[in-house]
């Protein structure tokens, strides 16, 4: 497994043998396909939107992130939501950079 990106709380890896991605949440390692990773990018954008963050700060301290057809559930606080959004953004940036360098 090759490390793609590491944020403060999380890390993402790419496995060329399995042709999949792994997200390390510290207490849980989750195996993802590329389609599932794309879905997580959409959820990360929603969770880190101004409206959602304002709602979290004013009404709820945590949010549930479900993914992989509700197979995995992760409880995130506001700082972890921001870090998760950074992880997903950094992961896709590194994949794009790796594809440019491979040419």
């Amino acid at each position: 497994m090759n490390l793609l990106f590491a944020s403060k709380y999380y890390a993402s890896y790419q496995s060329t043998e399995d042709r999949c991605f792994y997200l390390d949440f510290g207490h849980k390692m989750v195996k993802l396909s590329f389609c599932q990773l794309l879905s997580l990018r959409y959820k990360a954008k929603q969770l880190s939107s101004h409206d959602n963050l304002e709602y979290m700060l004013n009404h709820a301290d945590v949010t549930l992130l479900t993914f992989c057809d509700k197979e995995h559930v992760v409880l995130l606080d506001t700082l972890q939501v921001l870090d998760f959004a950074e992880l997903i953004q950094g992961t896709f940036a590194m994949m794009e950079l790796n594809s440019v360098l491979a040419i």
Side-chain angles (χ1 to χ4, degrees):
M1 282 192 310
N2 299 325
L3 177 68
L4 283 175
F5 188 79
S7 62
K8 183 176 180 179
Y9 300 112
Y10 313 116
S12 61
Y13 300 91
Q14 182 177 15
S15 174
T16 53
E17 296 89 29
D18 299 337
R19 297 181 55 179
C20 64
F21 299 91
Y22 291 92
L23 291 183
D24 183 8
F25 288 96
H27 64 284
K28 176 187 259 192
M29 182 79 82
V30 178
K31 182 178 178 180
L32 302 166
S33 69
F34 183 72
C35 294
Q36 291 168 331
L37 194 61
L38 281 174
S39 174
L40 272 182
R41 181 171 68 171
Y42 177 74
K43 287 184 180 186
K45 286 180 182 180
Q46 286 181 324
L47 286 175
S48 64
S49 70
H50 175 72
D51 293 336
N52 189 59
L53 290 174
E54 185 176 343
Y55 178 81
M56 284 182 68
L57 289 171
N58 293 330
H59 302 289
D61 293 336
V62 295
T63 188
L64 283 175
L65 173 65
T66 60
F67 54 98
C68 295
D69 296 330
K70 298 182 182 174
E71 183 179 333
H72 301 284
V73 177
V74 179
L75 185 67
L76 303 172
D77 65 16
T78 307
L79 292 177
Q80 290 171 330
V81 165
L82 293 172
D83 193 60
F84 177 71
E86 178 187 344
L87 172 78
I88 297 297
Q89 182 180 8
T91 298
F92 277 93
M94 291 305 293
M95 286 191 311
E96 185 176 339
L97 183 61
N98 286 340
S99 69
V100 169
L101 292 176
I103 293 177

